[in-house]
Amino acid sequence: MLIVQKYGGTSVGTLERIDAVAERVIKTKKEGNKVVVIVSAMSGVTNRLIEYANFFTNEPLGREMDLLLSAGERVTSSLLAIALSAKGYPAIAFSGRQAGMITDHFHTKARISAINPENINKALQDDKIVVVAGFQGVDENGDVTTLGRGGSDLSAVAIAGAINADVCEIYTDVDGVYTTDPRIEPKAKKLDQVSYDEMLELASLGAKVLQNRSVELAKKLNVNLITRSSFNDHEGTLITGEEKMEDAIISGIALDRNQARITVRKVVDRPGVAAEIFSALAKEEINVDMIIQNVGRDGTTNLGFTVPENELHKAYEIIQKVNPNSGEVIESDNEIVKVSIVGVGMKSHSGVASLAFQTLADEGINIQMISTSEIKISMIINEKYGELAVRALHKAYNLDK
Ligand code: ADP
Ligand code: ASP
Ligand code: MG
């Protein structure tokens, strides 16, 4: 079999951990498989590099930022290849560029445009273990780019797709995908199987066990994705195209702390104003999530929307520039979180949303914004109550049973 394995930050967090990863890779190789390994930076390294840059400015240059951040993954990929070779298993490390990972030029959140897996395929033919630095690529100018936080998952899925791997295994510090973050609710249960669609919602709504774009791509390319622990041999979670036949209405609860809200008050109520505001944000690649508009009585409206917390500053400046109405008041609030319940069974059951609202009401938690789709309900609440809400909802939907 041709197997892609991705090891996250904690899994390569120390030299001893890298050694343990090397042993696991060797075991896979000895079983007669060809192996391509994608690695993250050692845990904490990416954050530290960001802090280093922030020592000088809060708005570092994107190009230099990416060159800086890509260093973390280069360290681990080189070390793992060195460790493997030292153990008698020929290995070769590639940077994103050497692995043929071509992206657009949006620094710190680049999108993959193509993969040229020639080097990888050649090395596999030579019977080498291939180790690729995750999270990074190169744009058409030859500048290094990175794929957004958690982007090594995306590197792994993209490479698995490009070389037609039989399976893409994501090794992390928990046994798989749980009904909610086991660090928030210790009673969370591991799921044996979850559909691409549910996983995509969970990941997009804050369950960082898999990066959302990696799930999207896995679905598109039909990559067999498995999440499991690098610390034991427990069975992980299979992410598949099948929707389970069991009758679980809800499969999980997610908490997204990276949320902030902008409210523009007294916007003139005329056609085109919303288009003006949101196209200005879209042009700068800012991801707007929930939108609420309240119609006032005096011909003006209040427009509220959420953006990722780390883009609040930029979004705020853009809105000020657009200046939808001279007298407006713009407010920003980053003391919010989004809690969501996800499940394909919601489509065919009623009363799912009302139970969520009642559960939060019983805890005295005020819901500030709501959005729903066929398979999820999201609520914006004060960040103080985020974990409490997760636990209360987890219990209300019997996910601990
Ligand atoms: P890695 O460094 O391996 O990429 P991450 O920290 O990105 O690992 O993701 C793993 C973490 O995701 C877990 O430690 C866990 O706290 C968190 N997590 C959030 N939601 C879930 C969930 N539903 N199931 C499992 N883990 C989750
Ligand atoms: N090192 C990067 C991050 O911390 C990418 C990853 O770990 O997937 O976001
Ligand atoms: Mg991750």
Side-chain angles (χ1 to χ4, degrees):
M1 291 220 293
L2 175 53
I3 299 183
V4 169
Q5 298 187 333
K6 178 259 171 179
Y7 292 90
T10 329
S11 303
V12 294
T14 61
L15 299 177
E16 289 72 24
R17 288 296 315 156
I18 293 176
D19 194 74
V21 164
E23 292 297 336
R24 195 180 278 270
V25 171
I26 288 171
K27 183 165 168 267
T28 312
K29 171 81 178 149
K30 272 189 180 160
E31 286 163 0
N33 303 297
K34 288 183 182 289
V35 195
V36 177
V37 187
I38 285 77
V39 286
S40 285
M42 295 167 88
S43 63
V45 165
T46 307
N47 285 341
R48 197 166 328 128
L49 294 173
I50 292 172
E51 278 166 28
Y52 287 169
N54 289 346
F55 178 82
F56 302 102
T57 167
N58 283 327
E59 279 171 275
L61 303 169
R63 181 184 174 281
E64 278 57 39
M65 201 57 194
D66 275 349
L67 195 56
L68 175 69
L69 294 186
S70 68
E73 270 70 8
R74 289 175 189 230
V75 169
T76 36
S77 56
S78 322
L79 286 175
L80 180 58
I82 289 170
L84 287 165
S85 300
K87 288 172 189 288
Y89 288 81
I92 181 166
F94 291 133
S95 68
R97 176 212 297 265
Q98 292 168 325
M101 184 77 74
I102 316 295
T103 73
D104 65 20
H105 60 270
F106 284 100
H107 284 293
T108 73
K109 52 178 179 181
R111 292 190 159 268
I112 299 171
S113 40
I115 297 184
N116 303 326
E118 271 163 50
N119 287 347
I120 296 180
N121 285 332
K122 166 97 187 15
L124 287 174
Q125 268 164 26
D126 296 344
D127 205 32
K128 289 190 178 137
I129 297 171
V130 177
V131 186
V132 179
F135 179 52
Q136 55 188 275
V138 63
D139 70 11
E140 69 275 20
N141 299 323
D143 286 327
V144 173
T145 52
T146 62
L147 307 176
R149 296 308 303 268
S152 295
D153 295 338
L154 179 61
S155 305
V157 170
I159 287 173
I163 63 174
N164 242 318
D166 294 292
V167 61
C168 179
E169 302 174 339
I170 307 287
Y171 285 90
T172 183
D173 55 4
V174 287
D175 285 1
V177 180
Y178 283 70
T179 47
T180 193
D181 188 339
R183 293 180 206 285
I184 298 177
E185 174 51 277
K187 289 189 200 130
K189 293 270 178 297
K190 198 199 79 194
L191 302 165
D192 294 330
Q193 185 174 321
V194 58
S195 71
Y196 287 122
D197 290 337
E198 285 173 306
M199 192 62 233
L200 183 55
E201 288 287 1
L202 284 170
S204 307
L205 295 168
K208 70 167 181 164
V209 60
L210 282 174
Q211 190 230 30
N212 60 344
R213 282 161 56 198
S214 73
V215 182
E216 199 177 357
L217 191 64
K219 180 181 177 184
K220 189 168 149 202
L221 303 179
N222 229 324
V223 171
N224 286 316
L225 201 56
I226 291 173
T227 321
R228 54 188 302 196
S229 171
S230 68
F231 292 80
N232 59 46
D233 287 320
H234 299 171
E235 295 247 331
T237 302
L238 179 67
I239 293 101
T240 84
E242 294 161 38
E243 293 187 359
K244 336 186 248 317
M245 301 310 285
E246 296 157 34
D247 55 2
I249 301 172
I250 302 301
S251 31
I253 317 269
L255 179 67
D256 186 351
R257 302 172 209 263
N258 179 26
Q259 289 278 310
R261 177 177 44 205
I262 292 185
T263 312
V264 194
R265 294 196 193 284
K266 295 202 173 289
V267 181
V268 205
D269 200 7
R270 64 165 166 78
V273 174
E276 199 179 357
I277 292 179
F278 294 115
S279 56
L281 292 166
K283 223 172 85 197
E284 296 296 324
E285 293 277 309
I286 290 186
N287 233 324
V288 174
D289 181 19
M290 291 194 195
I291 301 174
I292 280 191
Q293 182 174 337
N294 301 317
V295 179
R297 286 199 201 120
D298 54 353
T300 68
T301 71
N302 293 339
L303 200 59
F305 57 90
T306 59
V307 295
E309 196 162 24
N310 53 352
E311 295 186 335
L312 175 63
H313 181 69
K314 197 167 159 198
Y316 190 85
E317 299 210 316
I318 292 168
I319 297 300
Q320 263 179 333
K321 251 189 241 144
V322 173
N323 197 10
N325 167 39
S326 40
E328 93 278 23
V329 190
I330 307 172
E331 287 165 12
S332 66
D333 175 2
N334 57 13
E335 279 164 17
I336 56 166
V337 293
K338 180 166 66 181
V339 56
S340 308
I341 49 188
V342 173
V344 287
M346 249 183 238
K347 288 184 200 169
S348 48
H349 285 78
S350 56
V352 177
S354 57
L355 177 59
F357 305 150
Q358 190 58 51
T359 304
L360 296 196
D362 291 345
E363 297 290 339
I365 301 172
N366 186 38
I367 303 172
Q368 304 177 13
M369 289 168 120
I370 298 171
S371 80
T372 61
S373 79
E374 259 198 327
I375 66 166
K376 72 120 203 268
I377 300 162
S378 293
M379 295 159 289
I380 295 287
I381 60 174
N382 188 297
E383 68 179 1
K384 281 203 295 242
Y385 303 117
E387 300 203 352
L388 173 64
V390 167
R391 286 190 287 264
L393 291 165
H394 195 264
K395 181 148 185 269
Y397 289 98
N398 284 323
L399 292 175
D400 47 355
K401 297 286 151 55

